């Protein structure tokens, strides 16, 4: 199996948000990719510019960041031709790697706009090297720039950043310094396409936690009432863990809960409720993770404090109304 490490550069409406095409806020103008074999040796490169169809002038910020002339873009091939050559170059049975998660979103938006085949498998599993770098070398929470990672690893900076082929090359160099077991353990799923039916839902066990990507629902209310989503079954013994704190809001789109498994201890549940990419439905990403007693107590204290604040605020509002 080969690794495909790719990077995109895109343009946006040069006249500002008022002239932006809602279904295509960013138009891809460059694709660069590096192909590595299973021993992480480079075996191929892909690099092409794309002639813009929607935003035919470069936004001033695009001009500041990337190094390409308007004439070069005007003479380039259109998106459908380039993406077909990219598909053929990638071949099949490959692992896709990118820095961050945005490139897959924007690439698939461009595919949809140009009515080209979405050749990526579903579900689309990939390796977010930005996230894996943080999990490997730092706290797992920070999201660093690619240049920061190159400096951190002490690697030479012999080509310019913010060119698609250059950034793909640098990302490939970072991969070579990540232990294989780390790389293989922390894969991600793309959410541009989401499960439509129960049987298509994505469930993964990562060792220290589980993740469920649910099917689509017509409303948030329907989603939150779904028994599978609401359940807190211990992923180690498959027994139902009794809820100590029922699902409750944590921010505008997240929900948390606390459950207890008699055999394995406390489980923290988290729901991230999202709109599908086209905004027509809801789905959620649910995680369950074993936590220690101190973490469980901290979560209870935080919830109790939040409830008390809400109670005081409501009492104050009621008093003012009187």
């Amino acid at each position: 199996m080969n690794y495909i490490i790719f990077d995109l550069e895109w343009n946006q409406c040069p006249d500002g948000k008022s002239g932006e095409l809602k279904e295509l806020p960013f138009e891809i103008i460059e694709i660069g990719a590096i192909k590595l074999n299973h021993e992480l040796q480079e075996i191929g490169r892909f690099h092409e510019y794309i002639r813009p169809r929607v935003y035919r002038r470069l936004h001033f910020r695009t001009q500041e960041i990337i190094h390409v002339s308007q004439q070069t873009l005007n003479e380039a091939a259109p998106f459908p031709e380039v993406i077909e050559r990219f598909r053929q170059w990638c071949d099949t049975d490959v692992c896709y790697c990118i820095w961050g998660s945005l490139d897959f979103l924007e690439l698939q938006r461009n595919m949809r706009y140009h009515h080209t085949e979405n050749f990526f498998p579903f579900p689309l599993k990939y390796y977010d090297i930005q996230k894996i770098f943080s999990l490997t070398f730092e706290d797992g929470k920070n999201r660093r720039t690619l240049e920061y990672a190159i400096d951190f690893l002490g690697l030479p900076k012999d080509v310019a950043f913010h060119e698609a082929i250059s950034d793909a090359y640098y990302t490939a160099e970072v991969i070579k310094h990540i232990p294989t077991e780390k790389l293989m353990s922390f894969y991600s799923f793309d959410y541009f396409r989401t499960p439509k039916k129960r049987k298509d839902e994505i469930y993964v066990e990562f060792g220290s936690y589980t993740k469920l990507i649910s099917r689509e629902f017509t409303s948030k209310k329907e989603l939150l009432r779904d028994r599978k989503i609401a359940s807190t079954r211990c992923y180690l013994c498959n027994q139902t863990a009794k809820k100590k704190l029922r699902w409750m809001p944590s921010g505008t789109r997240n929900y948390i809960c606390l459950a207890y498994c008699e055999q394995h201890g406390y489980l923290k549940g988290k729901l991230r409720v999202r709109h599908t990419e086209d905004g027509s439905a809801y789905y959620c990403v649910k995680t369950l993770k074993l936590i220690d007693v101190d973490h469980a107590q901290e979560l209870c204290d935080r919830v109790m404090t939040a409830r008390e604040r809400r109670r005081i605020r409501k009492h104050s509002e009621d008093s003012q109304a009187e």
Side-chain angles (χ1 to χ4, degrees), residues 1-4 35-38 43 87-97 119-121 124-125 127:
M1 180 177 290
N2 295 325
Y3 298 88
I4 302 295
K35 185 182 291 185
L36 303 179
N37 63 17
H38 69 283
I43 57 174
R87 181 192 69 79
Q88 294 179 16
W89 178 84
C90 288
D91 209 349
T92 56
D93 192 27
V94 296
C95 295
Y96 292 101
C97 307
F119 59 84
F120 296 118
L124 175 49
K125 173 182 167 182
Y127 297 91

Side-chain angles (χ1 to χ4, degrees), residues 217 219-226 229 273 282-284:
F217 293 86
S219 69
K220 187 189 295 187
K221 187 175 181 180
E222 180 190 11
L223 183 154
L224 294 173
R225 285 182 172 178
D226 184 83
I229 291 174
V273 180
Y282 291 87
Y283 73 100
C284 79

